């Protein structure tokens, strides 16, 4: 790095720090203002240098410029002779004015405006776009904004983005119109789009409109941004139609230039994969090899969303001190953090034998009746009104506002989110619940489907065995079904847990296979809706029959 570039970068970093400090975290969130750390920007530009032809003359562009982390790295890594032009766009003058001052001596064309309102160049379009777009979630975009962005993206990339897509998806697809044919683009984005519905159009774009060359996923444990908790990925592609039988490099962990794992995956296979992150992790099981899933055995639901846990869930002493009517109080489990046991025993009345005894206040009586019949409870709800709990999102959509959902106690629960910890390979825990306690939405509830219910009725000790077998589902396969956030926080939605393999249950309890066999009706024909699903279910039924006959003969 030349001495003058080094000085410029030091000035830029100092400016970045000061400018960030002048804004609150909420303000920076609104425009996704989380700058790229310099080592990461350098690594990205070093990677680009190794992956573009030597004679390629660069027309650089960063449409979310900030103070210019990538531009600075570009100047450090490429000789001046390789850079034909450079441009940037920045919406916020707070960063933009300072960036103009910083780069005044360099041949940078910086526009202080909205990327989506900026005039598209008619010639000499950029041929290298490097960008860390703002990570603004969809609920911060108004309906009007979304409509405008969808129109622009529709014209630029011939696709309509899902309404749940974050601003970074619009940036990525809209930039298609800006990039020169045969030009390259490198995007530092949240990896979430790889695994969720709103990412479908983004993945289709990457597989059909451009040649996707490399996808690198950072290990979520190593958050890339000190100040924003997102798990990040880098996309590297060329604007040209993908060749036949194209193969994409997928890497994971380490850095872009020195990843821990690198795999080549046929684009056709990516086109079929629902979740790309699984592909890069080499975790989880082969879908085809799984004969039975948890969703075949259990109805899986999220626990109760109360609307305000600290108001509707009370320590049992407190509920009794307030003389709240017994019939509206239901035992509820504390959050997993405070639940030491994994087997919850119940007393003679079914109350859970645990240290932290909590009760859910669940009353659906209309206000007029409530006031007349239960004045103490009425008084308590007045406190809720003072605290404006009736105006929270969930309560304001319920009538009366204090009413609660109904969930019966589930015999099995799984924690909804968790991290790998010291000596804790699996971020998720299964709980066996013999009590009548219900659970809030920090848990997933597993209710046995009818045929599994039969097995449980006939085999009194089966609950424990089933719970033990649930605990044997590999951490990898649960993690692969769910999603991961920055800092290594894993989450599982009911549908994702339902998709996890239940083979461990069949292996641990061979007798279960005969019950599963007899439930072929509800497993394989009842819920099938599309022709594809029917076909898949039939295939799975066949495999299961084969496996069951193997399992039965082995146990004889
Ligand atoms: C994640 S930061 C990246 C900044 C810088 N390129 C870097 O890598 O450090 C995103 C930047 O985009 C800017 N931005 C947000 N919305 C924009 C828009 N519609 N047009 C142009 N810039 C925008 C933000 O103000 C912020 O500076």
């Amino acid at each position: 790095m030349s001495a003058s570039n080094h000085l410029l970068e030091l000035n830029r970093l100092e400016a970045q720090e000061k400018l960030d400090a002048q804004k609150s975290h909420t303000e920076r969130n609104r425009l996704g203002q989380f700058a790229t750390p310099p080592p990461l920007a350098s690594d990205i530009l070093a990677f680009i240098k190794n992956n573009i032809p030597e004679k390629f003359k660069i027309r650089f562009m960063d449409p979310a410029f900030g103070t210019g982390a990538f531009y600075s790295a570009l100047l450090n890594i490429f000789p001046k002779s390789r850079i034909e032009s450079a441009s940037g766009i920045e919406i916020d003058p707070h960063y933009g004015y300072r960036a103009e001052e910083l780069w005044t001596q360099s041949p940078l064309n910086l526009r202080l405006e909205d990327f989506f309102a900026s005039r598209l160049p008619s010639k000499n379009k950029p041929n290298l776009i490097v960008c860390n777009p703002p990570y603004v979630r969809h609920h911060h975009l108004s309906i009007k904004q979304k409509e405008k962005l969808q129109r622009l993206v529709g014209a630029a990339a011939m696709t309509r983005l899902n309404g749940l897509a974050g601003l970074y998806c619009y940036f990525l697809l809209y930039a298609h119109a800006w990039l020169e044919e045969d030009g390259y683009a490198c995007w530092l984005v949240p990896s979430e789009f790889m695994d969720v519905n709103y990412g479908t159009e983004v993945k289709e774009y990457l597989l059909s409109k451009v040649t996707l060359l490399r996808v690198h996923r950072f290990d979520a444990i190593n958050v890339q941004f000190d100040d924003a908790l997102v798990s990040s990925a880098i996309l590297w592609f060329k604007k040209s139609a993908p060749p036949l039988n194209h193969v994409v490099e997928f890497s994971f962990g380490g850095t872009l230039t020195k990843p821990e794992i690198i795999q080549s995956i046929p684009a056709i296979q990516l086109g079929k994969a629902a979740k790309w992150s699984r592909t890069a992790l080499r975790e989880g099981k082969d879908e085809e090899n799984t004969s039975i899933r948890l969703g075949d055995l259990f109805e899986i639901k999220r626990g109760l969303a109360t609307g305000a846990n600290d108001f509707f869930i009370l320590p049992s002493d407190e509920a009794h001190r307030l003389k709240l009517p017994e019939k509206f109080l239901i035992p509820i489990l504390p959050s997993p953090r405070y639940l030491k046991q994994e087997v919850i025993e119940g007393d003679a009345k079914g109350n859970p034998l645990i240290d932290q005894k909590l009760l859910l206040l669940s009353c659906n009586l209309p206000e007029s009746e409530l006031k007349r019949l239960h004045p103490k409870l009425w008084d308590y709800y007045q406190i809720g009104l003072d605290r404006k709990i009736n105006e929270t999102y969930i309560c304001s959509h319920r009538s009366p506002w204090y009413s609660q959902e109904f969930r019966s106690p589930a015999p099995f629960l799984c924690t909804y989110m968790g991290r790998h910890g010291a000596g804790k390979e699996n971020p998720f825990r299964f709980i066996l619940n013999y009590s009548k306690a219900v659970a809030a939405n920090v848990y997933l509830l597993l209710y046995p489907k009818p045929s599994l219910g039969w097995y449980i009725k006939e085999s009194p000790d089966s609950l424990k065995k089933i719970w033990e077998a649930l605990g044997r589902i590999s951490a990898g396969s649960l993690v692969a079904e769910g999603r991961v956030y920055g800092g290594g926080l894993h989450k599982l939605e009911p549908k994702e847990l339902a998709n996890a393999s239940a083979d461990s249950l069949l292996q641990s309890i061979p007798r279960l296979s005969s019950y599963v066999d007899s439930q072929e009706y509800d497993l394989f024909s009842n819920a099938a809706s599309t022709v594809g699903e029917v076909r898949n279910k039939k295939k799975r039924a066949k495999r299961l029959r084969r496996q069951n006959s193997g399992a039965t003969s082995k146990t004889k």
Side-chain angles (χ1 to χ4, degrees), residues 16 31-36 62-70 89-92 95 113-116 132-134 167 171:
Q16 182 77 53
L31 283 174
Q33 294 169 324
F34 298 97
T36 311
D62 178 352
F65 193 81
T67 59
F70 292 126
I89 303 180
E90 172 54 54
I91 198 170
D92 186 355
Y95 292 97
E113 57 194 14
D114 178 356
F115 176 41
F116 298 98
N132 167 9
L167 187 59
F171 256 79

Side-chain angles (χ1 to χ4, degrees), residues 91-245:
I91 198 170
D92 186 355
H94 180 71
Y95 292 97
Y97 287 153
R98 190 71 186 94
E100 273 183 338
E101 280 170 19
L102 277 165
W103 302 110
T104 183
Q105 302 292 334
S106 87
L108 169 75
N109 172 14
L110 181 60
R111 298 188 200 169
L112 299 196
E113 57 194 14
D114 178 356
F115 176 41
F116 298 98
S118 193
R119 202 161 50 81
L120 201 68
S122 54
K123 56 177 185 175
N124 292 335
K125 283 186 180 178
N127 60 11
L128 176 64
I129 292 183
V130 187
C131 187
N132 167 9
Y135 303 173
V136 178
R137 291 188 174 274
H138 82 95
H139 35 259
H140 295 302
L141 304 173
S142 67
I143 295 183
K144 226 170 142 193
Q145 244 177 321
K146 280 187 196 173
E147 282 170 358
K148 180 188 152 195
L149 294 174
Q150 274 170 338
R151 267 199 313 278
L152 288 171
V153 161
M158 311 300 252
T159 188
R160 188 182 162 77
L161 268 176
N162 184 307
L164 302 183
L167 187 59
Y168 71 95
C169 301
Y170 292 95
F171 256 79
L172 174 63
L173 268 61
Y174 181 55
H176 190 73
W178 289 70
L179 187 59
E180 175 88 321
E181 213 53 49
D182 289 327
Y184 293 88
C186 195
W187 290 82
L188 173 59
V189 290
S191 55
E192 193 179 65
F193 82 91
M194 296 188 197
D195 296 345
V196 296
N197 277 346
Y198 79 67
T200 308
E201 292 77 16
V202 179
K203 289 189 279 187
E204 273 169 15
Y205 164 79
L206 292 171
L207 292 178
S208 62
K209 304 273 176 10
V210 294
T211 303
L212 184 59
L213 299 165
R214 174 82 172 266
V215 176
H216 177 78
R217 255 177 35 101
F218 290 97
D219 191 336
I221 303 276
N222 302 322
V223 189
Q224 294 305 306
F225 300 89
D226 295 339
D227 39 9
L229 271 185
V230 286
S231 67
S232 312
I234 293 175
L235 307 173
W236 169 239
F237 57 81
K238 183 174 180 183
K239 185 174 172 182
S240 60
L244 217 64
N245 302 325

Side-chain angles (χ1 to χ4, degrees), residues 5 21 27 50 75 96 112 145 166 213 276 363 371 441 499-500:
N5 282 348
E27 279 175 310
N50 289 334
L75 297 182
L112 299 196
Q145 244 177 321
L213 299 165
W276 282 10
C363 167
K371 190 172 181 184
N441 53 3
N499 209 30

Side-chain angles (χ1 to χ4, degrees), residues 229-480:
L229 271 185
V230 286
S231 67
S232 312
I234 293 175
L235 307 173
W236 169 239
F237 57 81
K238 183 174 180 183
K239 185 174 172 182
S240 60
L244 217 64
N245 302 325
H246 178 55
V247 171
V248 182
E249 270 194 345
F250 248 82
S251 56
F252 174 75
T255 64
L256 178 63
T257 48
K258 286 198 186 112
E260 278 165 18
I261 299 174
I262 187 153
Q263 287 173 273
S264 297
I265 302 177
I268 196 159
Q269 193 180 321
L270 285 174
K272 290 186 204 151
K275 295 190 178 193
W276 282 10
S277 62
R278 190 187 303 184
T279 323
L281 269 167
R282 276 183 203 262
E283 275 191 312
K285 75 281 142 195
D286 176 357
E287 302 215 340
E288 279 301 301
N289 289 338
T290 289
S291 54
I292 176 167
R293 294 172 199 285
L294 287 181
D296 294 326
L297 297 173
F298 300 94
E299 195 74 58
I300 302 181
K301 290 186 174 167
R302 211 44 213 275
L304 292 144
T306 65
N309 287 352
D310 64 342
F311 181 72
F312 292 108
I313 300 178
L314 298 96
S316 101
D317 300 352
E318 175 69 0
H320 293 128
R321 190 186 64 77
L322 292 167
K323 300 203 165 52
L324 299 177
E326 205 68 48
K327 64 176 174 180
F328 299 125
L329 296 171
I330 303 171
I332 187 164
L333 296 178
S335 84
R337 220 171 345 149
Y338 301 109
L339 190 65
K340 307 239 168 31
Q341 302 91 320
E342 298 199 329
V343 177
I344 314 294
E345 303 287 349
D347 67 12
K349 287 185 177 167
N351 294 314
L353 295 169
I354 49 179
D355 294 345
Q356 199 179 2
K357 293 193 170 45
L358 298 176
L359 295 168
L360 169 72
L361 185 51
S362 176
C363 167
N364 296 351
L365 287 183
E367 295 188 41
S368 51
E369 248 177 87
L370 179 70
K371 190 172 181 184
R372 192 165 46 84
L373 298 175
H374 303 286
K376 294 275 182 215
L377 184 52
W378 172 258
D379 289 347
Y380 185 69
Y381 283 148
Q382 299 317 297
I383 301 173
L385 289 176
D386 289 346
R387 284 179 49 193
K388 296 199 176 7
I389 284 175
N390 56 323
E391 291 173 21
T392 58
Y393 183 80
I394 291 180
C395 296
S396 66
H397 285 78
R398 287 183 179 163
S399 177
W401 64 269
Y402 46 79
S403 57
Q404 293 292 320
E405 302 171 287
F406 174 76
R407 293 275 189 288
S408 43
F412 307 100
L413 300 98
C414 177
T415 52
Y416 166 65
M417 57 187 169
R419 294 173 198 279
H420 297 279
K424 184 173 151 232
E425 193 217 342
N426 199 335
F428 302 103
R429 278 161 71 199
F430 285 96
I431 313 285
L432 172 57
N433 179 26
Y434 287 113
S435 80
K436 64 175 185 187
V438 295
N441 53 3
V442 279
Y443 293 95
L444 300 176
L445 315 177
L446 289 82
Y447 299 99
K449 283 191 166 175
S451 27
L452 182 61
W454 272 110
Y455 168 71
I456 292 171
K457 260 193 201 146
E458 289 190 7
S459 323
D461 59 346
S462 60
L463 283 172
K464 184 115 189 272
K465 279 193 181 153
I466 293 172
W467 168 69
E468 284 165 353
L470 286 169
R472 275 194 284 274
I473 299 177
S474 80
S477 65
L478 291 176
V479 162

